[in-house]
Amino acid sequence: MRISFCQALLTGAIILNLLILYYVSRAQQQMMDKRKELGRGTRKASLPASSLGGGLGVLIGAGDPGVGGVEGHSRTPRVTVLLREFENFENYVGDVANSFLRQRPELPFLAVSDTSPYPPLVLPDGARLLVLSPSPDQPPQAHRPEFHVQTEFVLLVPDGVELEQPRAVERLIRELEGEGGGPVRLVAAPVLARSAVQCLHLRVNLREWTATYSPAASGSSGSVCTALQGDAVVLIRTEDLFNLSVPLGRPLFSSLFVQTALRGWKVKLLESPCFSANHRPLFSSAHNQWKADTRLKEATGQLMRSFGLRRLMLPEGKEQWYGCSKETPRCFGTVHDDTPDYLYLDRWTPPCCLRALRETTKYVVNILESSGVRYWLEGGTLLGAVRHQDIIPWDYDVDLGIYLEDIPNCDHLKNLDSGSLVDANGYVWERAVEGDFYRVQYSEANHLHVDLWPFYSRNGVMTKDTWTEHKQDTEFPEHFLQPLVPMTFAGITAYGPNNHRAFLELKFGEGVIENPQYPNPAKKRLDRSKL
């Protein structure tokens, strides 16, 4: 059978198309294989020596066939030893690395620093340095610790610690694996030093910007708690560590346990094995100790502010504050729609602000009483006194009503028509620019304040000349003030209307005492299930 020219042309075109389709498909498959290989390489392959800050390469990879296992059976290490807390000006990082690598040379050892240490660290073979600060000439993974830990577990060790018992690491692994993935997600062993490590209970209340530490009872086989105080070696699964928002924040234990406590994780403190610490004290001079203490204080303050914690309640009952003071601006900005910014974050008024408001209220009340100015708790302030005997936990100022006719009795108020007055204690008295009322600020820098609203009686009704758009800002019968009655408020005895329920329901509506709500529910409503 003869094949026509058209048939031959058609057959050739079909064959050509099949060849093109074959080579395109093959190229696509090769590209996909290459992408998969690159993806595996990003996670497992070693980076070039220049990729790490300080000019050092990545630690030993998990898949190195020449590395012995932690248990003595596997050919890959299960633990990376990580040292995070050390000072550049004096440390024993090299000695710590030598101690672990002498006993367990198969274990990767990683020292982590925010910036390149100066003087430079002198590390033995097998130990590596990771600098967290990014550099514009390096790839992003060069400064991200999760790319540099390829083992199942991470052993967090403090500066100056030494490994004397080679099998101590296995004991920690067995203890953690024995918990079966329950609430105990960390296991710790004490470091033999002058001060024993202490097991603590930590309760973190982000809504109230507060972390509270309390002692935990010790058990015969170890203690299970939510935080540690003192020197300890801590084992954690790598996956758990890098699932934290800030896995290697400083101070390490403060950062670690705040985050784990919020997740409901616990730490088990064993009585043994113990790790030795021949380098104690860590610093050879009082000056270096002072520098370390100062840096620790600064790092703690920075960490707590970044976590939104303004107050720490310590186990011995002392308080540490990291919020605003008389010398700093208040913790929140201008309030819009009666809804401060922290309410949108599902938080209440920072405790440092409540403390400042209490101090200012006590100060103002003392001056009003000594000057013969009649006053009473007004609006939401009265509501807080009835509900809490304190400021409402989400309120941001204090309101007092005063008799207009008594203002000349008070030297702090009578001359405020022009300018403001900063008194001897740093409080700022001023006539408010928003209307005919007075404001007392905590300080010139911190504008937390008490507002004084002048009322006068007209035909038995208390009224005033400046009104706001607030529902509670309304006239009321003077008999509520005849007489004024003492009330507990913010740690002092102040005066309020004689029938506070009727007074509040006149201003806010029936049931206001039993039904708390944010000041502007249209913008942000209170979730009462969280009360």
Side-chain angles (χ1 to χ4, degrees):
M1 183 180 68
R2 297 180 61 184
I3 299 176
S4 68
F5 174 77
C6 291
Q7 288 174 328
L9 187 63
L10 179 61
T11 302
I14 292 173
I15 294 173
L16 180 61
N17 284 334
L18 289 174
L19 287 172
I20 293 173
L21 181 62
Y22 168 75
Y23 283 109
V24 168
S25 175
R26 184 177 178 183
Q28 288 177 335
Q29 184 63 42
Q30 290 175 342
M31 185 175 297
M32 291 176 62
D33 292 342
K34 186 175 181 180
R35 286 178 178 175
K36 290 180 180 178
E37 186 64 29
L38 287 174
R40 288 191 294 268
T42 302
R43 179 66 181 167
K44 293 186 176 181
S46 295
L47 294 171
S50 63
S51 65
L52 278 180
L56 294 172
V58 180
L59 56 89
I60 300 172
D64 190 337
V67 177
V70 168
E71 298 288 1
H73 303 292
S74 171
R75 297 183 63 83
T76 58
R78 300 184 68 190
V79 180
T80 296
V81 183
L82 192 150
L83 199 164
R84 176 68 173 111
E85 291 283 0
F86 63 92
E87 298 295 346
N88 295 346
F89 51 83
E90 185 174 4
N91 62 72
Y92 298 96
V93 177
D95 291 349
V96 177
N98 275 315
S99 169
F100 276 85
L101 294 174
R102 187 183 308 115
Q103 299 284 352
R104 305 301 300 270
E106 79 282 1
L107 296 184
F109 187 99
L110 188 64
V112 179
S113 178
D114 292 317
T115 58
S116 295
Y118 180 80
L121 293 179
V122 178
L123 298 176
D125 292 340
R128 298 292 182 263
L129 170 68
L130 169 63
V131 176
L132 297 179
S133 299
S135 176
D137 62 336
Q138 302 293 335
Q141 61 268 31
H143 307 280
R144 292 170 56 181
E146 63 269 26
F147 283 94
H148 299 271
V149 178
Q150 303 298 320
T151 55
E152 184 180 355
F153 300 96
V154 177
L155 190 69
L156 304 171
V157 299
D159 192 13
V161 72
E162 293 183 356
L163 176 65
E164 292 184 342
Q165 304 174 19
R167 308 296 293 180
V169 179
E170 282 83 346
R171 167 74 190 281
L172 296 177
I173 292 177
R174 287 195 298 271
E175 288 286 347
L176 187 55
E177 290 182 326
E179 294 297 330
V184 173
R185 306 290 279 269
L186 308 94
V187 172
V191 173
L192 295 178
R194 293 181 179 178
S195 58
V197 63
Q198 183 181 7
C199 214
L200 302 175
H201 286 312
L202 170 60
R203 184 176 63 87
V204 181
N205 189 331
L206 291 179
R207 187 181 66 182
E208 297 181 5
W209 312 70
T210 300
T212 303
Y213 293 87
S214 58
S218 299
S220 58
S221 59
S223 302
V224 174
C225 50
T226 49
L228 300 176
Q229 184 179 57
D231 278 345
V233 171
V234 176
L235 183 77
I236 184 173
R237 288 181 175 85
T238 302
E239 181 181 9
D240 286 345
L241 178 63
F242 291 119
N243 274 332
L244 300 178
S245 301
V246 187
L248 297 177
R250 290 193 69 188
L252 182 60
F253 275 10
S254 297
S255 173
L256 181 67
F257 292 124
V258 165
Q259 296 176 86
T260 56
L262 284 169
R263 288 160 173 78
W265 299 356
K266 296 183 181 297
V267 56
K268 185 175 184 179
L269 177 62
L270 307 178
E271 295 181 353
S272 64
C274 294
F275 290 78
S276 62
N278 294 329
H279 300 296
R280 288 294 187 277
L282 272 176
F283 305 104
S284 58
S285 68
H287 178 69
N288 279 358
Q289 183 65 60
W290 170 80
K291 286 173 63 177
D293 292 342
T294 301
R295 286 166 62 91
L296 175 63
K297 183 177 180 180
E298 292 173 352
T300 301
Q302 183 176 353
L303 178 76
M304 293 305 157
R305 283 186 285 270
S306 69
F307 280 177
L309 293 173
R310 302 291 188 227
R311 179 176 60 173
L312 297 188
M313 304 290 293
L314 302 180
E316 60 272 19
K318 294 181 180 179
E319 291 180 309
Q320 287 183 351
W321 294 86
Y322 298 101
C324 52
S325 66
K326 271 187 175 292
E327 291 73 37
T328 67
R330 67 184 185 185
C331 296
F332 57 94
T334 302
V335 177
H336 299 279
D337 300 317
D338 300 321
T339 307
D341 56 9
Y342 50 78
L343 292 186
Y344 292 108
L345 302 175
D346 290 323
R347 296 193 175 205
W348 288 353
T349 309
C352 52
C353 297
L354 293 174
R355 180 182 63 169
L357 286 173
R358 294 186 190 104
E359 291 178 7
T360 307
T361 301
K362 180 179 180 180
Y363 184 76
V364 171
V365 163
N366 285 338
I367 288 179
L368 295 179
E369 290 181 352
S370 62
S371 301
V373 176
R374 291 167 291 175
Y375 73 91
W376 61 94
L377 304 179
E378 255 291 345
T381 301
L382 177 63
L383 192 56
V386 174
R387 281 200 199 131
H388 313 281
Q389 293 76 55
D390 202 348
I391 300 167
I392 293 176
W394 51 84
D395 208 352
Y396 52 89
D397 63 4
V398 168
D399 293 314
L400 302 178
I402 61 174
Y403 270 88
L404 177 64
E405 61 194 78
D406 292 344
I407 288 178
N409 298 336
C410 180
D411 292 336
H412 292 75
L413 295 175
K414 64 182 181 181
N415 296 320
L416 286 181
D417 287 336
S418 58
S420 59
L421 166 69
V422 181
D423 66 20
N425 294 292
Y427 293 90
V428 181
W429 298 69
E430 64 181 4
R431 195 180 189 95
V433 296
E434 299 93 327
D436 190 20
F437 64 99
Y438 299 91
R439 177 163 289 167
V440 185
Q441 295 179 169
Y442 187 46
S443 71
E444 291 184 274
N446 191 329
H447 294 175
L448 286 161
H449 56 266
V450 172
D451 284 336
L452 305 176
W453 300 91
F455 283 81
Y456 56 90
S457 177
R458 183 171 60 194
N459 300 323
V461 175
M462 297 301 293
T463 187
K464 57 189 179 74
D465 295 329
T466 295
W467 300 97
T468 68
E469 297 179 356
H470 300 304
K471 179 180 179 181
Q472 69 271 19
D473 194 20
T474 184
E475 297 177 332
F476 59 91
E478 188 177 10
H479 65 72
F480 282 112
L481 309 180
Q482 297 176 341
L484 292 166
V485 297
M487 303 181 67
T488 299
F489 177 72
I492 63 173
T493 298
Y495 285 94
N498 53 57
N499 187 340
H500 57 255
R501 175 175 292 276
F503 185 87
L504 288 170
E505 292 190 346
L506 171 67
K507 297 219 167 197
F508 293 98
E510 187 176 354
V512 64
I513 297 175
E514 294 77 17
N515 298 289
Q517 187 52 268
Y518 287 157
N520 190 345
K523 293 295 180 180
K524 178 67 176 178
R525 297 189 65 84
L526 172 66
D527 184 354
R528 297 181 187 176
S529 66
K530 295 181 180 180
L531 289 176

